[in-house]
Amino acid sequence: MDLQTLVGFFNSTLHEDPEVRQSAEQQLQQLEAHDGFLSILLQMISSPDVPLGTKQAASIYFKNRVRRSWSGTQRANDQHPPIGENDRSVTKDNILAGIYTAPQSIKLQLTECLGVILKHDFPEKWPQFIVHIKELLHAQDAQRVYTGLLALLEVIKVYRFSVSKREIIEEIAKELFPQVQKISEQAVESDDELAMRMAWVSFKSYYNSIQAGLPLAFQEPANLVAWGTSFIKMIEKPVAFDKESIDEEAAKEPVWKAKKWAVRSVNRLYGRYGNPALLPGATTKQFGAFAKLFTSNFLPQILQVYLKQIEGYTTGQVWMSVRIRGLVSMLLSDCVKEKSAWKLLKPHVEGIVSHFIFPQLCFSESDQELWEDNPVEYVQKRIDPIDDFGSANIAASNLLIDLAVDRKKATLNPILAFINGVFTNYSQSPEESRDPRTKDGALAMMGVLAGTLCSRKSPIYSTLPEFLLTHVISEFNSKYGFLRARALDTYCRYSSIEFSDTQITRGIFESVLSLLNDSQLPVRVHAALALQPMIENEMVRDLLASHLPQVMQVFLNLTNEIDSDTISHVVEEFVEVFADRMSPFAVELGQQLCDTFMRVMNEVSANAPDMSSGDVEDFSEKTMAAMGVLKTLGTLVLNLDSSPEVVYKLEEVIFPVVRFVLEQHIVDLYDEVYEILDCCMFAVKAVSPNAWGLFTSIYNSFKNDGIDFIEEMLPSLDNYVTFGIDVVASSTEVQAHFFDIIETVMKSDRVGENDRICVCKLMEAIMLHGRGKVDGMIPGFVSLAAAYLLVSDAIETSAFLVYTLEVVLNALHYNPVITLSVLEQYKWTEGIFTRLMQSVSKFSRVNDKKLLILGLTAVLTVPAEQLPASLQTGLPQLFEGILQTFRTLGQAIESRDALEKMYQGSDSDADTFDWDENDDDDEFDGIAEGDDDDVDDLENEYLKHLSSQASKALAGGEDFDNDDDDGFGSDDEDSDDNLEEEFSLETPLDNIN
């Protein structure tokens, strides 16, 4: 294998003939196992004589090889040939030089490889790496300096979130960042593209180094001044742009990326370490001095810079990317909460609202383009905000909320006056001169503030019905589609507002219903979302009943047009609310939902041929939509429990989907398909032939990758036993599958005790429902339990101890003779009964006590001559255990009944609870008091509490794991360790009194 041979193979991978390409790829796969392959590959990438396209192909192959195999783990070596020691050494010796000589596109591939290598080798296997970086950072050649910065960023990214190895970041900050600051300072002054890349990487390195903490070197006043000056200069750096042509593509250019990372660094410094109002309590001592330094010496200047940037943006003198606008809004939101920052910000609020927030919330030209060119994406951005997280629109909305809620005395009335001014100007202007975009922006602002203004203590609560009629509902018939959609969205947010005249409600319903058939997709989607809260009104439900088939069809059509779990939630709620009316067309609805699911998954498959690959596990929009469809199917089945014949028909259309998910190993959807299967069997209280037809698929799925989902599988497996015990008892194959599942979980080191408890419950179900029918399974069950009960450190929690003992008790209740013979055969009797009697006090729940009594009394039914000698001498202790449990059983039943009554009462109380009498409306109490103080931030208070608890634990002040160890785990009574009653679990024990 030599360089030219390798070049030839990579040239062939670009050949137009697929057979030539395939042959070259096979040759490369054979060669990669040779020690020296990576070395020659890196040489090829660095060679000036190799064509760029060939280099790019080689760099991608090099990256994939390193990513797959550099870890050297057993799993990696089982799947791919290991990388030899010579290749590892040569690669580390030459990769920095390769990055230096490579063109920009290949630099990115190689730096990603470097990050993988550092993750596994630094510092233990590559201690000299920092020395190499230091040499590069002090080089005279700008490209070498840039290479050093790229390498620095990769090592910081490896440890940016690490707490246990924080000293690595501390040392880097002390040793390398003084030079990095000088580099960034010089780079900011230049307009050269390479200089901007250096500034960008420098700022990004700084940002990543302060993720988990603020290095001590960065807390020095001189350091803050130096870096702060570079950040400000970069943010203020004038950049020429064409107002007519500039768009978000410009944000990818180095200069704009450098600006973005400067802003992100400033935001992180202030939001995490420099804002006294946001510091968690445990970190106040650590960062309090820095916060005081930051707010006193740096914040006034940076706030002035941000406000100047906003002014330049609103006048068209400065361009700000969407991301930078969002970051600016985020910093202003933090300033709202801290009193000294608020005093600086307060005089500018009205201008910020009217000239910065409002324009961003108005329907824009880019919105118009998206509406026309890709309405599906437009809708997804509107109804799934998480898809647009971090956008300027979301950040501006959050800033508006913070102003109106946290500083309501100074801001709420001016904000409402501004919005009202927009409405008034719009309504009073001649129709031909109205700008519908301004109306859209004002409605958007009202929508953002709905959570605050819908409170009964809101100063404008009494005027909201008039507002809706005048400014919102009137736009349902607007000639502008985006305004119809915005009006529907706004009405949806204010759906809790009631009208005294039922005819108004009827009219609104009819308007929304008609908009379900609007010509514009976004309008139809928002009409569906607006209809969802309306069905809480009894009159609307009655009106909707006659339209239900048509409405459900519209919903299903929308589900096919836009893959969104939000629409699926609407369908699911309608299915639940109108369950009694679904039977006539339930099967048709189920079929259409299944068709929708398969269409979505086929589209996912087209993008990710290996459906068990990470592409599916990324919770893509389509995968989330598929989840929503499956949840709707489960809800449909669950609400048909009074129509078993319909459920059986639904099984025929639904179970092929369940089989598809299991056989394709689409693990992200296992939870949903197992819930569907559970709902089907529970609804008819039987296991149909169709359901038994799925059992093999379930078993095969478990053997492939399903062990991690045993908790999700349990309800369905329990149903197979509960409602299909005759099949279980008569089929050795089914018994073997059940036992293999149970044994695998009990013996696997891949699962925890919660998962083992699941199969303990499954063993209990088999023994309780199959009494006298599954004798052959009992010895295996007892052996699995004994493997834990007879090893001193095998059991960690009291819960698992109880469930493991209950396996033995169930076996005794099933057949004491068989069980005792197994215990005696392996000399387990004394050890297990000793463990059992030591743990009697842990059997705290009603069914635990019943089972203890049943198991021990079963022992007493065995003729004395058949009892093991160790039990004959211990009969007094057995009697005492039975009596002790009997004495506490009545109290346990009373406690369970009281707890169940409380849970049932809490459900009904939730429907009648008067929130207006409670703290949710306190945001308007004392509106004139303390408006210039620090804002109490609920989320931050919670973080302070967690931080405090963590500090106590780390300091030894509080032990969160308070279990004592007496050789068998903790058998001492611990009230915090008691198991909770399981009201949803039905067993034959419930009928034993």
Side-chain angles (χ1 to χ4, degrees):
M1 178 176 58
D2 57 31
L3 179 61
Q4 291 306 316
T5 301
L6 212 53
V7 170
F9 284 140
F10 275 103
N11 283 333
S12 297
T13 64
L14 304 174
H15 199 279
E16 59 183 16
D17 187 341
E19 293 186 3
V20 173
R21 291 200 305 269
Q22 185 176 6
S23 175
E25 290 166 359
Q26 291 174 349
Q27 292 286 340
L28 288 171
Q29 288 174 1
Q30 294 174 8
L31 288 174
E32 71 175 32
H34 294 279
D35 195 7
F37 175 78
L38 274 187
S39 306
I40 298 177
L41 202 56
L42 188 57
Q43 181 185 349
M44 171 182 164
I45 295 168
S46 304
S47 172
D49 300 325
V50 176
L52 179 59
T54 306
K55 283 186 179 183
Q56 289 176 328
S59 67
I60 293 172
Y61 201 101
F62 182 87
K63 179 184 72 174
N64 291 334
R65 178 80 173 113
V66 169
R67 287 175 61 183
R68 288 194 299 253
S69 302
W70 196 275
S71 65
T73 62
Q74 185 62 49
R75 182 177 181 183
N77 291 341
D78 289 343
Q79 295 177 344
H80 305 282
I83 297 174
E85 288 303 317
N86 178 65
D87 261 346
R88 290 174 180 272
S89 177
V90 173
T91 297
K92 287 190 288 189
D93 287 344
N94 292 280
I95 191 167
L96 290 174
I99 294 172
Y100 168 70
T101 59
Q104 185 62 33
S105 60
I106 295 178
K107 283 184 193 292
L108 299 179
Q109 306 282 359
L110 293 180
T111 53
E112 188 175 337
C113 295
L114 178 62
V116 174
I117 295 169
L118 290 169
K119 178 181 178 181
H120 298 289
D121 286 15
F122 180 81
E124 290 83 2
K125 299 178 182 178
W126 202 359
Q128 68 273 30
F129 180 71
I130 294 298
V131 176
H132 296 329
I133 295 181
K134 197 167 187 177
E135 292 172 353
L136 290 169
L137 293 178
H138 285 82
Q140 299 300 311
D141 181 350
Q143 278 288 354
R144 290 191 180 279
V145 174
Y146 180 47
T147 301
L149 290 172
L150 290 173
L152 172 66
L153 177 59
E154 290 304 315
V155 74
I156 290 173
K157 284 164 63 177
V158 172
Y159 294 102
R160 57 184 161 176
F161 299 121
S162 174
V163 175
S164 60
K165 295 185 177 182
R166 189 63 195 168
E167 70 278 359
I168 293 176
I169 297 293
E170 290 283 348
E171 185 65 21
I172 289 174
K174 179 181 177 182
E175 292 296 322
L176 300 183
F177 266 87
Q179 179 63 16
V180 176
Q181 193 281 319
K182 293 178 182 178
I183 294 169
S184 68
E185 185 177 3
Q186 295 173 4
V188 168
E189 300 294 339
S190 173
D191 294 326
D192 180 68
E193 180 180 329
L194 179 59
M196 288 298 97
R197 290 187 184 278
M198 293 164 70
W200 154 26
V201 177
S202 297
F203 296 152
K204 189 173 182 178
S205 297
Y206 184 96
Y207 174 84
N208 279 280
S209 69
I210 61 175
Q211 289 301 293
L214 186 64
L216 290 174
F218 291 177
Q219 297 181 41
E220 295 295 328
N223 188 284
L224 176 61
V225 170
W227 276 105
T229 301
S230 293
F231 294 145
I232 288 174
K233 285 184 177 181
M234 189 67 241
I235 295 169
E236 289 188 314
K237 185 178 180 67
V239 181
F241 65 96
D242 185 344
K243 296 179 184 179
E244 301 298 325
S245 62
I246 193 166
D247 57 23
E248 286 303 313
E249 282 298 309
K252 299 177 182 179
E253 297 174 7
V255 63
W256 298 110
K257 286 191 173 184
K259 281 179 174 285
K260 180 187 73 173
W261 285 104
V263 174
R264 290 194 72 176
S265 298
V266 170
N267 283 21
R268 185 68 174 179
L269 277 175
Y270 181 55
R272 183 70 180 269
Y273 310 106
N275 189 333
L278 299 180
L279 280 180
T283 63
T284 301
K285 183 177 180 180
Q286 185 179 5
F287 302 121
F290 177 81
K292 184 177 180 180
L293 171 69
F294 192 98
T295 54
S296 300
N297 298 345
F298 187 54
L299 181 62
Q301 186 178 1
I302 195 61
L303 189 55
Q304 183 179 2
V305 169
Y306 276 42
L307 292 172
K308 186 177 178 181
Q309 290 295 300
I310 291 175
E311 181 183 359
Y313 172 73
T314 59
T315 59
Q317 302 303 309
V318 171
W319 184 75
M320 297 168 68
S321 67
V322 168
R323 188 70 179 110
I324 290 178
R325 294 202 308 271
L327 290 167
V328 168
S329 293
M330 290 176 188
L331 183 123
L332 297 183
S333 287
D334 288 344
C335 289
V336 170
K337 300 181 184 301
E338 197 267 319
K339 60 183 180 181
S340 64
W342 170 241
K343 290 177 181 178
L344 297 171
L345 184 64
K346 185 176 178 181
H348 305 278
V349 165
E350 292 190 29
I352 290 172
V353 170
S354 60
H355 298 301
F356 186 62
I357 295 177
F358 172 66
Q360 294 187 77
L361 299 185
C362 290
F363 191 78
S364 65
E365 291 183 7
S366 60
D367 290 332
Q368 183 69 49
E369 290 177 6
L370 197 59
W371 177 289
E372 295 173 354
D373 298 339
N374 194 340
V376 171
E377 184 177 346
Y378 176 88
V379 170
Q380 287 170 338
K381 283 182 174 292
R382 293 289 182 175
I383 67 175
D384 292 328
I386 194 169
D387 291 339
D388 214 19
F389 181 75
S391 74
N393 187 290
I394 298 297
S397 299
N398 290 336
L399 174 57
L400 182 64
I401 292 171
D402 289 335
L403 288 168
V405 173
D406 295 336
R407 301 297 178 182
K408 61 184 73 69
K409 173 187 172 183
T411 67
L412 186 58
N413 286 334
I415 289 172
L416 294 176
F418 171 77
I419 295 172
N420 187 59
V422 176
F423 286 145
T424 301
N425 182 62
Y426 183 83
S427 61
Q428 292 180 355
S429 299
E431 186 172 352
E432 63 276 7
S433 63
R434 291 176 179 174
D435 183 356
R437 299 173 191 270
T438 61
K439 179 70 178 282
D440 177 82
L443 288 176
M445 292 178 74
M446 287 297 293
V448 167
L449 297 176
T452 297
L453 299 179
C454 281
S455 165
R456 290 185 182 275
K457 293 184 180 180
S458 160
I460 66 166
Y461 182 80
S462 61
T463 68
L464 289 178
E466 181 182 355
F467 155 71
L468 291 173
L469 286 171
T470 305
H471 301 296
V472 180
I473 296 165
S474 61
E475 298 297 345
F476 284 178
N477 298 317
S478 172
K479 63 180 181 181
Y480 302 103
F482 70 84
L483 209 47
R484 297 196 299 274
R486 177 68 75 184
L488 286 164
D489 177 64
T490 307
Y491 174 74
C492 184
R493 294 170 186 261
Y494 286 87
S495 58
S496 62
I497 303 302
E498 298 178 351
F499 296 93
S500 57
D501 186 347
T502 57
Q503 290 303 312
I504 294 176
T505 304
R506 177 189 290 267
I508 294 172
F509 164 72
E510 292 174 350
S511 295
V512 174
L513 192 65
S514 67
L515 288 170
L516 281 175
N517 297 307
D518 194 274
S519 61
Q520 300 291 317
L521 174 63
V523 178
R524 296 198 298 274
V525 170
H526 281 290
L529 297 179
L531 202 57
Q532 182 181 13
M534 295 184 73
I535 60 177
E536 296 179 9
N537 185 299
E538 184 177 357
M539 182 188 72
V540 171
R541 287 199 300 272
D542 292 339
L543 291 171
L544 188 58
S546 61
H547 302 280
L548 193 57
Q550 295 85 355
V551 169
M552 295 302 296
Q553 187 61 56
V554 171
F555 288 168
L556 289 172
N557 292 341
L558 287 175
T559 303
N560 283 318
E561 287 184 86
I562 173 171
D563 298 320
S564 169
D565 60 324
T566 305
I567 299 299
S568 299
H569 290 325
V570 176
V571 180
E572 185 178 1
E573 184 166 344
F574 268 70
V575 167
E576 188 171 353
V577 170
F578 295 100
D580 57 334
R581 302 176 186 269
M582 287 289 170
S583 294
F585 57 94
V587 176
E588 181 183 357
L589 176 60
Q591 182 63 66
Q592 291 191 45
L593 286 168
C594 289
D595 291 344
T596 297
F597 173 84
M598 292 307 300
R599 176 190 60 77
V600 172
M601 294 315 299
N602 285 334
E603 291 175 3
V604 172
S605 178
N607 295 325
D610 178 6
M611 299 194 68
S612 62
S613 70
D615 290 330
V616 176
E617 296 176 354
D618 283 340
F619 287 97
S620 66
E621 293 169 356
K622 291 186 181 296
T623 307
M624 293 294 289
M627 284 183 182
V629 172
L630 292 177
K631 288 178 181 177
T632 304
L633 284 168
T635 302
L636 178 63
V637 173
L638 192 61
N639 286 283
L640 291 170
D641 56 347
S642 60
S643 305
E645 70 285 351
V646 179
V647 175
Y648 285 132
K649 291 179 181 178
L650 269 173
E651 285 185 352
E652 295 179 4
V653 300
I654 292 176
F655 282 179
V657 163
V658 175
R659 180 177 286 106
F660 172 82
V661 171
L662 296 176
E663 293 181 355
Q664 293 294 327
H665 311 300
I666 311 174
V667 295
D668 285 331
L669 303 179
Y670 278 6
D671 193 3
E672 285 73 25
V673 296
Y674 283 126
E675 185 174 352
I676 288 174
L677 189 57
D678 175 33
C679 290
C680 286
M681 288 187 281
F682 190 79
V684 298
K685 303 295 187 292
V687 184
S688 68
N690 286 323
W692 276 116
L694 283 173
F695 186 74
T696 301
S697 296
I698 293 172
Y699 174 72
N700 291 336
S701 169
F702 171 84
K703 295 300 289 183
N704 183 277
D705 50 21
I707 190 172
D708 297 323
F709 300 89
I710 188 64
E711 187 172 355
E712 288 78 10
M713 294 173 65
L714 178 63
S716 297
L717 295 176
D718 183 79
N719 284 338
Y720 276 110
V721 173
T722 302
F723 305 123
I725 190 60
D726 290 339
V727 174
V728 175
S730 62
S731 172
T732 55
E733 181 183 3
V734 171
Q735 289 183 28
H737 285 347
F738 268 113
F739 188 80
D740 188 30
I741 290 171
I742 292 166
E743 183 181 39
T744 300
V745 174
M746 289 294 283
K747 291 184 176 181
S748 174
D749 58 2
R750 182 171 164 178
V751 300
E753 290 194 344
N754 285 337
D755 298 305
R756 295 191 179 97
I757 286 173
C758 289
V759 293
C760 287
K761 292 178 180 179
L762 189 55
M763 286 188 274
E764 175 174 289
I766 293 171
M767 288 186 279
L768 287 176
H769 289 282
R771 289 194 72 194
K773 301 178 180 179
V774 289
D775 291 5
M777 301 186 77
I778 305 306
F781 290 168
V782 173
S783 297
L784 291 173
Y788 285 92
L789 293 171
L790 297 174
V791 178
S792 62
D793 58 350
I795 295 177
E796 298 177 0
T797 64
S798 294
F800 186 46
L801 172 64
V802 169
Y803 277 103
T804 311
L805 287 168
E806 287 184 349
V807 172
V808 178
L809 289 169
N810 270 296
L812 289 168
H813 174 53
Y814 177 92
N815 189 315
V817 175
I818 293 177
T819 304
L820 290 175
S821 67
V822 173
L823 296 178
E824 276 296 286
Q825 178 183 354
Y826 297 103
K827 297 182 173 51
W828 294 340
T829 308
E830 183 176 356
I832 285 181
F833 273 90
T834 299
R835 190 78 185 268
L836 176 61
M837 301 316 297
Q838 289 176 344
S839 308
V840 168
S841 62
K842 289 191 173 294
F843 289 71
S844 57
R845 300 174 300 179
V846 172
N847 283 354
D848 294 338
K849 293 179 183 294
K850 287 182 180 181
L851 192 56
L852 184 61
I853 293 169
L854 290 171
L856 294 181
T857 54
V859 174
L860 302 181
T861 65
V862 178
E865 63 274 10
Q866 295 183 29
L867 280 177
S870 58
L871 280 185
Q872 292 181 14
T873 59
L875 286 178
Q877 287 85 351
L878 259 65
F879 277 114
E880 177 58 31
I882 294 171
L883 291 173
Q884 177 185 340
T885 307
F886 260 123
R887 284 194 291 266
T888 58
L889 179 59
Q891 182 181 353
I893 292 174
E894 291 179 5
S895 298
R896 183 192 64 180
D897 292 344
L899 189 61
E900 186 173 15
K901 185 177 180 180
M902 182 185 74
Y903 284 154
Q904 292 172 345
S906 66
D907 291 339
S908 60
D909 289 346
D911 295 332
T912 59
F913 195 81
D914 187 0
W915 293 102
D916 293 320
E917 298 299 321
N918 287 271
D919 291 341
D920 274 21
D921 289 323
D922 286 349
E923 62 181 271
F924 288 104
D925 293 340
I927 195 169
E929 297 178 9
D931 198 66
D932 287 334
D933 294 332
D934 283 340
V935 174
D936 291 328
D937 187 89
L938 292 178
E939 180 182 359
N940 192 49
E941 288 301 314
Y942 180 61
L943 291 174
K944 287 182 179 180
H945 170 72
L946 292 180
S947 178
S948 173
Q949 296 300 311
S951 297
K952 289 181 181 178
L954 291 172
E958 181 172 345
D959 186 2
F960 286 102
D961 186 10
N962 202 25
D963 288 341
D964 296 325
D965 188 355
D966 60 3
F968 282 116
S970 174
D971 285 352
D972 296 333
E973 184 68 20
D974 184 350
S975 60
D976 293 334
D977 227 10
N978 286 346
L979 294 166
E980 295 183 357
E981 294 285 355
E982 295 180 314
F983 299 113
S984 61
L985 183 66
E986 297 180 5
T987 78
L989 295 174
D990 297 331
N991 300 320
I992 299 176
N993 297 310

